[in-house]
Amino acid sequence: MTIACVAFIGPQNNPMYLRSLEPASDDQYMKLHYVVHCSLDAVEEKVLLKRGPGDVQESYLGLLYPTEDYRVYGYLTNTHVKIIVLLDDEAPVKDDLVMRVMKRLHNLYVDTTSNPFHKFGMPISSPRFDAALESIVSVYPRPGGSVGGFKT
Amino acid sequence: MQKPLAPSPAPGTGPTPAKKPTRRCAEVCLELLCVECVRLFHDKQSGPAAAAALEAIGYRVGQQLVERYTRDKPLLGDTLEIIKFVCKDFWQALFKKQVDNLKTNHRGVYVLQRTSYCPPPSPCPHPDMYPNTPSRHLAASRSRAAATPFLCPHADTYPNTRPAPPVHPPPRQGVYVLQDNGFRWLQRLAGPPPPGAGAGADPGREEAARQLALRYLHLPCGLVRGALGHLGVACTVEADPKQLPSCTFTVRIT
Amino acid sequence: MLRGGPPGARNAPSLEQINAEVFTLTYGSIVRQLISDFEDIEEVNKQLEQMGYNMGIRLVDEFLAKAKITRCSSFKDTAEVVAKQALPMFLNVSANVANWSPDQTECSLILTDNPLADFVELPEEHRDLKYCNVLAGVVRGALEMVNMEVECRWVGDMLKGDDCYELRVKLKEHRDEKFPYKDDD
């Protein structure tokens, strides 16, 4: 599994965190933002579609759609936070694996919100969060090593 | 001289993350913290400002708790499901009991009421018994300001980048009342009746106890408002200690 | 003779327990509100200590009721009781007592596990905040109730990158003649 990008979007569809797992130029960041932004529509569709009587909607939404360059996976929390992960892989990735990563990202987010100095809805600016996220994704190393970078 | 803050270890980076045991502490720590917090803010600020500060404290905790409590749950659906979640899971986790009675006026009014009696926690002296408490804290406040629903916008307003189309159905307008007949955080205030008190208790004393209780309810009101708001149900929450330790929480969807 | 025994929560009669996260988060929110209302960090530190003091004078009653301590002994013994019995009873963590001054009037309470600080990441702009100052107040308040006037100050803080939370406790006065818990004569 090759993670290209991780993003956290807030309840008002405000971007809270976007991290590219490979070096990215400003243009490339713009592109990532765009892909993530577009994926929010797919999140809404998926959630609304599944909501039949007696249906239980889980947070993990699975593959939202593939783009030319990425496979876009989504996750929605009860507090309306969207976690979007872009995978670089050409071959399909096991759903279980992606779900596990997203669960860990969710746990990280929840622990971060429990910091009394956390500001809900604002961009996440926390060295601890950056490092922890790095740890989570580095379990799945990118070929050639990852440097990554962060830009709002 | 500053050292860089060391990042904490990442949660569950291995293939099967071990579940950390839930940390516990003595309930009396929280009780005393709340008592002293109420005292501190009423000492330093006027009544309405103190009430707003306590409500804001509760609001933040409500938001944070709801992140934690809903982490492993499937997605909640409409407003009713969210209110029920607060009545059951949230109330149970916080107050060790579920809410007893949930009423609605069918316009979306939810009344949560707890009927089953919860035995009082370990005896903890409440301010009425503190020998060094200044009498002004014990004097009954005749102000009804504390009962006013608080519409204070929380400090962290979401910056508007793009209006989000609703993912969940919009909450129905209306008022919901939650009644808790043995509200845990008021147990220590609901002392035994004084010796010689007959079937008709002293109304003056009851009113004084009620006014005192209101001070301790700003924080829980904030908790409930924060929890609901963070789940997408913007509202105001107003508490009414009917007869200690029974209490109603009126939720008005905004 | 102080009631001894193995340190930690095993030996402490249990008080009613709750999940600590509510306590942790409520404390954190109080700190945050104090910063917002007072702005001056030193004032916030002072308020936290005072709050802790008021809590400490009441926590002693709870502790003495459950722990069945029959006699308040030396400052040294009291420090051990705080570290090995009181902290486990209330917070399910224990501390070490170390770094005694030669005249035995000053020591350190050292914690590496502190429920108050769970999830906390102290921002740079609040580096002067003594986040756990409520604990300093609790110790001062509790010891005052057993007739020991102490001064507490933090010399180690894990939220600031140190290896442990180290509270330096200095005995100012020990009012021996007012033992509230004498053995029966």
Side-chain angles (χ1 to χ4, degrees):
Chain A
M1 179 168 68
T2 319
I3 304 173
C5 172
V6 174
F8 289 78
I9 312 294
Q12 308 302 316
N13 286 349
N14 47 309
M16 297 195 299
Y17 190 91
L18 190 145
R19 172 90 170 259
S20 167
L21 275 308
E22 55 190 1
S25 66
D26 281 357
D27 276 352
Q28 283 165 320
Y29 263 101
M30 290 297 294
K31 185 177 175 192
L32 289 172
H33 270 285
Y34 178 74
V35 172
V36 167
H37 199 69
C38 289
S39 72
L40 299 178
D41 291 325
V43 168
E44 283 153 21
E45 275 172 31
K46 253 220 163 162
V47 172
L48 287 171
L49 263 176
K50 268 202 176 181
R51 199 75 199 182
D55 275 359
V56 172
Q57 174 68 66
E58 296 293 333
S59 281
Y60 176 66
L61 304 174
L63 177 69
L64 296 177
Y65 60 92
T67 70
E68 200 179 290
D69 302 310
Y70 306 111
R71 300 162 79 84
V72 184
Y73 286 80
Y75 187 104
L76 178 67
T77 74
N78 269 301
T79 54
H80 304 215
V81 169
K82 279 73 77 176
I83 308 176
I84 307 293
V85 165
L86 305 187
L87 299 190
D88 245 351
D89 306 77
E90 296 200 350
V93 179
K94 274 194 153 180
D95 226 29
D96 271 356
L97 204 54
V98 187
M99 179 159 56
R100 208 178 300 148
V101 171
M102 301 200 93
K103 270 256 105 207
R104 283 188 203 131
L105 291 171
H106 186 190
N107 288 345
L108 170 61
Y109 172 74
V110 167
D111 281 346
T112 302
T113 62
S114 294
N115 175 17
F117 300 101
H118 174 80
K119 291 182 158 75
F120 282 104
M122 303 295 281
I124 297 171
S125 160
S126 153
R128 183 187 290 177
F129 184 88
D130 293 337
L133 193 139
E134 181 98 36
S135 290
I136 292 172
V137 299
S138 68
V139 176
Y140 313 96
R142 299 185 62 74
S146 129
V147 173
F150 162 67
K151 265 188 188 169
T152 38
Chain B
M1 174 163 55
Q2 283 108 41
K3 296 182 198 175
L5 296 172
S8 61
T13 45
T16 44
K19 209 177 157 100
K20 273 190 291 188
T22 317
R23 196 201 273 283
R24 308 273 275 168
C25 72
E27 187 170 24
V28 67
C29 297
L30 179 64
E31 282 178 13
L32 285 177
L33 183 66
C34 290
V35 164
E36 288 311 320
C37 172
V38 169
R39 175 210 291 259
L40 194 166
F41 282 93
H42 277 279
D43 264 352
K44 298 292 170 191
Q45 294 169 324
S46 66
L54 291 167
E55 214 266 358
I57 289 169
Y59 186 90
R60 258 190 306 273
V61 179
Q63 292 180 301
Q64 293 172 314
L65 280 176
V66 112
E67 288 282 5
R68 302 195 75 79
Y69 294 161
T70 62
R71 186 183 56 194
D72 299 320
K73 287 188 75 64
L75 293 179
L76 296 164
D78 60 9
T79 305
L80 183 58
E81 223 178 294
I82 292 169
I83 298 267
K84 280 181 175 171
F85 165 79
V86 166
C87 293
K88 294 180 181 176
D89 298 29
F90 188 79
W91 222 261
Q92 178 77 44
L94 257 185
F95 307 121
K96 297 198 172 182
K97 291 221 40 121
Q98 293 187 6
V99 151
D100 295 312
N101 209 338
L102 170 62
K103 289 185 216 156
T104 171
N105 67 356
H106 299 293
R107 282 186 216 158
V109 180
Y110 290 106
V111 182
L112 298 176
Q113 173 179 2
R114 193 163 81 180
T115 54
S116 44
Y117 178 73
C118 181
S122 314
C124 171
H126 73 77
D128 280 339
M129 298 195 286
Y130 295 160
N132 58 341
T133 306
S135 57
R136 66 180 181 274
H137 294 302
L138 305 178
S141 157
R142 299 297 169 207
S143 160
R144 297 285 300 185
T148 310
F150 293 102
L151 292 163
C152 20
H154 59 90
D156 306 315
T157 45
Y158 300 143
N160 259 337
T161 53
R162 167 182 112 152
V167 177
H168 303 299
R172 293 151 66 197
Q173 300 303 308
V175 181
Y176 301 76
V177 182
L178 287 62
Q179 187 164 340
D180 185 333
N181 286 348
F183 189 58
R184 195 167 181 92
W185 288 14
L186 289 180
Q187 296 286 2
R188 64 181 176 274
L189 291 180
D202 171 19
R205 190 177 176 278
E206 270 187 13
E207 178 59 21
R210 212 177 142 274
Q211 290 299 330
L212 186 64
L214 281 169
R215 286 191 168 193
Y216 293 94
L217 290 170
H218 300 306
L219 215 155
C221 282
L223 273 166
V224 176
R225 189 172 74 87
L228 287 170
H230 208 52
L231 291 170
V233 178
C235 58
T236 63
V237 180
E238 180 185 339
D240 188 8
K242 297 257 168 217
Q243 188 173 345
L244 297 176
S246 177
C247 185
T248 63
F249 293 85
T250 302
V251 176
R252 288 187 172 84
I253 309 292
T254 54
Chain C
M1 187 83 118
L2 279 173
R3 184 179 177 186
R10 284 189 301 274
N11 202 37
S14 58
L15 294 166
E16 183 84 21
Q17 301 281 301
I18 53 168
N19 280 347
E21 63 196 359
V22 185
F23 174 65
T24 301
L25 294 174
T26 303
Y27 180 70
S29 194
I30 291 169
V31 173
R32 177 89 184 272
Q33 191 65 35
L34 284 171
I35 293 173
S36 157
D37 285 356
F38 287 102
E39 288 176 10
D40 173 29
I41 289 291
E42 273 318 308
E43 183 63 29
V44 174
N45 289 335
K46 202 176 106 188
Q47 293 303 327
L48 291 173
E49 204 275 351
Q50 185 60 44
M51 200 166 67
Y53 174 84
N54 293 340
M55 290 171 67
I57 64 181
R58 277 142 212 155
L59 281 168
V60 169
D61 291 335
E62 289 285 331
F63 177 71
L64 293 173
K66 296 278 182 184
K68 301 185 185 64
I69 301 287
T70 53
R71 182 174 166 176
C72 285
S73 186
S74 64
F75 177 57
K76 194 176 174 72
D77 286 339
T78 305
E80 284 292 331
V81 165
V82 168
K84 296 286 192 272
Q85 292 190 48
L87 279 171
M89 181 184 285
F90 293 111
L91 296 178
N92 288 313
V93 294
S94 65
N96 287 318
V97 187
N99 302 340
W100 281 97
S101 62
D103 61 358
Q104 305 281 286
T105 61
E106 195 171 349
C107 68
S108 286
L109 284 173
I110 300 176
L111 288 115
T112 49
D113 187 18
N114 183 353
L116 284 175
D118 280 346
F119 319 120
V120 180
E121 191 179 359
L122 198 64
E124 189 57 32
E125 68 257 30
H126 298 318
R127 62 178 170 271
D128 292 332
L129 177 67
K130 294 170 188 164
Y131 186 84
C132 303
N133 223 21
V134 72
L135 273 177
V138 166
V139 170
R140 183 171 70 92
L143 263 57
E144 178 149 323
M145 293 304 280
V146 295
N147 298 315
M148 292 181 202
E149 191 187 321
V150 299
E151 256 175 25
C152 296
R153 64 192 170 91
W154 291 101
V155 298
D157 188 342
M158 288 177 87
L159 295 177
K160 297 177 183 175
D162 297 324
D163 294 332
C164 63
Y165 298 96
E166 185 173 347
L167 184 69
R168 200 92 188 116
V169 185
K170 184 184 171 74
L171 180 69
K172 305 289 284 179
E173 193 188 334
H174 186 173
R175 294 184 282 276
D176 282 355
E177 65 276 14
K178 292 185 201 163
F179 265 141
Y181 304 106
K182 278 196 180 123
D183 293 341
D184 291 334
D185 290 334

